[in-house]
Amino acid sequence: MIRIAICEDEAPTRAYLVSLIQAQNRPCEITAYASAGDYIADRRETDLLLLDIELDPDGPNGMTLARKIRQSSPAVQPVIIFVTGFERYVFDAFDVGAFQYLMKPVDEEKFSHVFTRAVKQIEARREKAFRTLTLQSAGISRTVPLDDIYYIESSDHKVILHLKDGGFSCYAKIRDLEAELGAQFCRVHKGYLVNLAYVEGYGKTELTMVNGEKLLISKYKRQEFIKAHLRFLKKGAGL
């Protein structure tokens, strides 16, 4: 079930967008709002937001709402498709990570193509969120979402998982985890297995994670890491 919100102040346009969605033959839950304030007040989680930019002049416009959404928790970030009659906002749309910018009147064939791509991204995001790693720590089985792991460090006969909310250690071999975790993770050093999603940048001898930590890159692993990082970025961009 795809949870879709329409935020549009013109009732005929809201009805038209609902009809376009229903024509896609996808299981959907559709909620329509006449203003940004109504959307904010409802506080329900949304997978896909069809958002007009020129909304009620007495309240926030669509771009203001999009910026507010992007400042919220990543766990509730919708895919945003702007639906507007004004071309001048197209560059602002990139600043808030909009998926697409559709001009009114919305073409049915164009909408179908964009909608299908958006749904694929939502489904891929859901599948990724369910990927986990289960390990034994202090006699307790612990299951960790892969997206919670910044990197894994090898220490003596243990590994240390560095997580968004702290970390823990357990008996395991880093090479076994490297084989299990797949393309989202890359061994950059004999002691480090990093989540490529959280690599902020890198130089000749070290990389920087999004949490500010710096990790050594082995000269024997550098080229392999660069190739893996580029593959990961291209896959994320749908290239």
Side-chain angles (χ1 to χ4, degrees):
M1 180 71 70
I2 305 297
R3 300 165 297 183
I4 302 175
I6 299 169
C7 193
E8 162 66 60
D9 60 344
E10 297 179 354
T13 304
R14 287 199 302 273
Y16 178 58
L17 291 173
V18 169
S19 69
L20 289 178
I21 295 167
Q22 292 172 336
Q24 307 310 309
N25 293 319
R26 295 269 187 169
C28 296
E29 176 186 276
I30 306 171
T31 308
Y33 305 91
S35 70
D38 290 345
Y39 176 87
I40 294 169
D42 196 18
R43 302 179 65 86
R44 77 175 65 196
E45 292 191 6
T46 303
D47 298 309
L48 174 61
L49 173 60
L50 302 179
L51 179 59
D52 188 15
I53 294 178
E54 294 284 343
L55 293 169
D56 183 352
D58 294 328
N61 67 17
M63 198 60 67
T64 301
L65 174 58
R67 292 192 179 100
K68 182 178 180 65
I69 289 170
R70 291 306 184 228
Q71 292 168 0
S72 64
S73 167
V76 292
Q77 290 284 329
V79 171
I80 297 176
I81 298 175
F82 281 114
V83 182
T84 181
F86 302 91
E87 292 185 357
R88 64 179 179 269
Y89 295 107
V90 65
F91 293 109
D92 292 328
F94 287 111
D95 290 339
V96 294
F99 180 78
Q100 188 67 46
Y101 194 94
L102 295 176
M103 293 297 298
K104 297 177 182 177
V106 179
D107 177 76
E108 293 182 30
E109 185 175 346
K110 175 71 172 179
F111 181 88
S112 179
H113 175 68
V114 170
F115 183 86
T116 298
R117 287 176 48 231
V119 168
K120 286 182 179 178
Q121 179 168 309
I122 291 164
E123 291 174 342
R125 182 191 296 174
R126 287 179 175 178
E127 181 180 348
K128 184 179 178 182
F130 283 114
R131 296 181 62 212
T132 59
L133 175 67
T134 300
L135 295 166
Q136 296 291 324
S137 176
I140 299 172
S141 179
R142 296 190 60 168
T143 298
V144 181
L146 298 193
D147 283 350
D148 283 356
I149 304 171
Y150 284 128
Y151 67 96
I152 299 171
E153 178 182 2
S154 177
S155 178
D156 295 327
H157 299 293
K158 294 183 177 182
V159 293
I160 303 169
L161 274 72
H162 295 263
L163 309 175
K164 291 180 178 179
D165 59 352
F168 67 91
S169 64
C170 63
Y171 288 101
K173 295 179 179 179
I174 197 168
R175 66 172 178 266
D176 293 339
L177 297 180
E178 179 183 9
E180 179 180 350
L181 293 174
Q184 185 176 339
F185 287 76
C186 180
R187 188 88 167 267
V188 299
H189 185 277
K190 66 179 181 180
Y192 301 121
L193 179 63
V194 302
N195 188 338
L196 294 170
Y198 298 124
V199 173
E200 187 172 75
Y202 60 88
K204 289 185 178 181
T205 61
E206 67 179 17
L207 60 81
T208 304
M209 305 298 290
V210 295
N211 65 350
E213 291 192 63
K214 298 183 184 297
L215 306 177
L216 290 175
I217 304 175
S218 164
K219 65 179 180 179
Y220 303 108
K221 295 287 187 181
R222 188 171 187 275
Q223 289 304 315
E224 179 184 338
F225 159 68
I226 292 172
K227 291 177 182 178
H229 190 239
L230 287 174
R231 283 195 301 268
F232 181 81
L233 293 177
K234 287 181 179 179
K235 184 177 179 181
L239 301 177

